[in-house]
Amino acid sequence: MISPDTIQQVIGRIDIIDIIGEFVRLKRRGANYIGLCPFHDERTPSFTVSPTKEIYKCFGCGRSGNTITFLMEHEKYSYVEAIRWLAKKYGIEIEETEVSPEYKQQLQTAESLHAINNFAQKFFTERLFHSEEGQSIGLSYLKERGFRENIISTFDLGYCPSDNSFSNAAIKNQFNKDLLVKSGLVVSRDGILKDNYHERIIFPIHNQTGKIIGFGARILQSNPKAPKYINTPENEIYNKSKVLYGLWQARQHIGKKNECILVEGYTDVIQLHQAGVENAVASGGTSLTRDQLRLIKKITPNLTILYDGDSAGVAATMRGLNLALEEGLTVKIVTLPSPEDPDSYIKKFGGATFESYLLDHKQDFILFQLDIALKEAGGDSTKKAAAVKMIADSLAKLIRPEDFTLQQDYVKKVAVKLGIEEAGLLNLINNIIRENLSNEQKKFLNKPSDKSDLLQSNSTENTTEPTDPSVEALFNSDKFHERAMVRCLLEYGRKEWDKQKSVAAYLLEEFEIEELIRDPILAKIVENYRHLYQSGEKPDAKYFLYNDNPEISNMVASLLAFPYEISTGWHEKFKQDILNRDDQYISDINSTLRYVELKRVRSQILENEKALQNNPKENELTVLLETHRYLKSLELELAKQVGMAIMK
């Protein structure tokens, strides 16, 4: 495990805007930053990052946490892996303590694969530039393709020689033989390790953080029995459905241009970047996956897909584009004139002409899809009917409220192209939507284990916009009051309650808030707080925010997050009033505790009323009535203090 001192060094260096900004496009709004949530579908930003509180909170899906939990959620890191990533970023040397053998093995496997890939990239690049074979075969091929040395270095391209030198070098450097095979860089034949990519150009594949997770290897010599490309097999760090080639190099340019250009191959991406079109990535020629689309959506909602005129991958990729609609992406299609591909077009006409062509020839995905289907259908009425059904299936994906206008616009345009009535097309779309919802309902009913997840996703905490529940609803929520009390403890615990005691002393010793808390995570926070308090420490919210238990950390971030902030004008107008009210937190605590006391009184009133309904004896009746009058008067007094109207 990483030592506590190292963890504290890392926490002390964290800049949450700097880290989250690497994965989410953030814009400043007042004291905070906002962006599209990377954890759920949305078109209106509800993901808020507070640099002062060091937290993020999505007021749409409810996700919240700190920088470390963001990396754990977003990159699927463990707590230790997130600390390691941050330590490397900030140049902090990691001091470690003992770990379990199982965890150590798991960690070493992933780290070893990264180390092998890093070694391989440096080896292949060195051979490309500094070996006779690499220069005469590999480098000359790349230069014939028109690639300059600076772009070759940007993408870490390399060459694997024919002499099995990589396997020998890897073994000499004591890399694990089994992991070398797992990486795909070598193969084992009769117990002897051989280079898998010999005599091929090497294209390293980076993840979002810049680590090399795999390779593509292109053959140079004509060999009908050998595949043109060999790619890394899936392993612990590489999954082809979750990768876009060039995204690491393109991510900032995609954000600046607010558009991602998707092409098919590695060399297309490199040629575009060299020509100044640096917001291009490649899917590798496979159907687009939801994970790949979400990688794009994290940076921009605008996707332009580029096809060459004779591309065999058009149909395969088109099948994945309905997912783009579900993910909320705006998709445009550009087809290059036959027989050009992005590489050849750039070479002939240059980057400026290429960008102008893109601008002038963008087609809407739905209408492009329809044109292809109608062209294939010709005069065949059966195929034409299938085309109508296909388009209706696509438009049935647009079921969110914000998609209503877009869907209606599509219905009009598609109806004109097909020569059918809008009402008929709309009825077909609605029938498909109902059928899809019915199928989802059947799946839900047939999978009881999934009900809790579905119910949670539809809970009131997961609304698109933050709402202000009624006072009565808040009052009736035990969870709300528990959270409010713990928030007061974390935010104000160090402050004075009066001249004799702190807020923490009052809440823990006199009010005994632990007795009122049922939520296990909140109870754990208060228990830890009491332990530290009794040990003479004065913890603040940040202490718990960076707890290694993600449930505690996420809970604290959620407690501290607030969807609104004081406007600059209001703050300036009432600045002096704010400065003069240093005891505002006392009012905040009192208000919270009055609600808790009111909750207690109401609970006692209900118990007393139940006793009155059980036909008590005359002497008991008198006591119960007196008790009822006292409790009701107390209820009215407390309600008056918190500003709540009580119906008599």
Side-chain angles (χ1 to χ4, degrees), residues 23-267:
F23 305 95
V24 180
R25 190 182 182 191
L26 297 173
K27 291 183 179 180
R28 185 161 195 145
R29 178 176 290 177
N32 297 328
Y33 290 75
I34 64 165
L36 292 173
C37 179
F39 303 118
H40 83 291
D41 300 335
E42 66 174 4
R43 291 188 178 180
T44 302
S46 58
F47 183 79
T48 303
V49 185
S50 169
T52 54
K53 295 181 180 178
E54 299 185 37
I55 62 171
Y56 66 88
K57 169 75 174 181
C58 176
F59 293 100
C61 69
R63 297 285 186 92
S64 59
N66 58 49
T67 308
I68 296 171
T69 57
F70 178 87
L71 291 172
M72 293 170 68
E73 288 268 1
H74 192 272
E75 296 297 291
K76 305 305 178 186
Y77 289 162
S78 67
Y79 179 82
V80 174
E81 288 169 339
I83 293 292
R84 289 179 183 278
W85 187 91
L86 289 165
K88 182 178 180 181
K89 177 178 177 63
Y90 292 116
I92 297 171
E93 186 176 351
I94 293 177
E95 180 183 89
E96 294 186 271
T97 59
E98 290 297 321
V99 297
S100 68
E102 294 80 10
Y103 179 77
K104 189 173 184 179
Q105 181 61 45
Q106 180 185 359
L107 185 64
Q108 285 179 343
T109 298
E111 287 185 343
S112 295
L113 286 171
H114 282 302
I116 289 170
N117 288 346
N118 191 52
F119 172 80
Q121 180 270 312
K122 286 180 169 56
F123 178 90
F124 295 141
T125 299
E126 192 277 333
R127 287 295 186 274
L128 176 69
F129 284 106
H130 302 295
S131 73
E132 184 178 343
E133 182 182 348
Q135 290 177 336
S136 62
I137 298 176
L139 193 58
S140 64
Y141 166 80
L142 291 172
K143 289 187 175 181
E144 284 174 12
R145 294 291 301 265
F147 298 131
R148 298 188 295 270
E149 288 193 11
N150 66 320
I151 202 72
I152 293 172
S153 297
T154 297
F155 283 85
D156 295 324
L157 303 188
Y159 176 76
C160 183
S162 58
D163 56 5
N164 212 49
S165 55
F166 171 73
S167 295
N168 296 332
I171 293 170
K172 184 178 180 181
N173 279 269
Q174 300 182 336
F175 286 111
N176 182 282
K177 293 182 179 180
D178 292 334
L179 291 179
L180 283 169
V181 173
K182 177 174 275 193
S183 73
L185 290 161
V186 303
V187 292
S188 179
R189 296 193 178 99
D190 300 323
I192 300 174
L193 296 184
K194 299 286 186 180
D195 288 359
N196 194 28
Y197 300 153
H198 58 86
E199 299 178 84
R200 289 175 179 263
I201 292 291
I202 307 300
F203 298 85
I205 300 169
H206 302 75
N207 66 8
Q208 289 186 87
T209 62
K211 287 186 176 181
I212 296 170
I213 56 175
F215 299 91
R218 189 192 192 283
I219 197 168
L220 297 181
Q221 298 179 358
S222 178
N223 184 350
K225 294 183 179 180
K228 184 177 180 180
Y229 279 96
I230 300 177
N231 295 300
T232 296
E234 294 198 358
N235 54 41
E236 283 82 352
I237 63 173
Y238 179 73
N239 184 329
K240 65 180 181 180
S241 68
K242 298 182 178 181
V243 175
L244 288 167
Y245 179 75
L247 187 62
W248 167 247
Q249 290 85 355
R251 68 197 190 286
Q252 293 180 354
H253 304 284
I254 293 171
K256 289 178 181 178
K257 294 191 174 182
N258 197 24
E259 179 188 31
C260 178
I261 297 174
L262 182 71
V263 294
E264 192 171 342
Y266 302 139
T267 55

Side-chain angles (χ1 to χ4, degrees), residues 548-604:
D548 57 3
N549 182 338
E551 288 184 319
I552 290 178
S553 179
N554 289 337
M555 175 64 80
V556 172
S558 180
L559 295 177
L560 299 179
F562 188 67
Y564 311 109
E565 59 181 280
I566 297 173
S567 69
T568 304
W570 193 96
H571 189 278
E572 288 299 320
K573 183 176 180 180
F574 296 101
K575 182 189 293 184
Q576 195 58 44
D577 290 342
I578 294 171
L579 293 174
N580 291 338
R581 298 192 65 187
D582 293 334
D583 62 345
Q584 180 63 40
Y585 69 92
I586 298 291
S587 299
D588 189 3
I589 297 170
N590 274 324
S591 178
T592 298
L593 298 184
R594 293 299 80 76
Y595 272 107
V596 174
E597 290 176 350
L598 188 54
K599 180 72 176 179
R600 281 176 171 175
V601 170
R602 279 203 167 176
S603 178
Q604 292 170 353

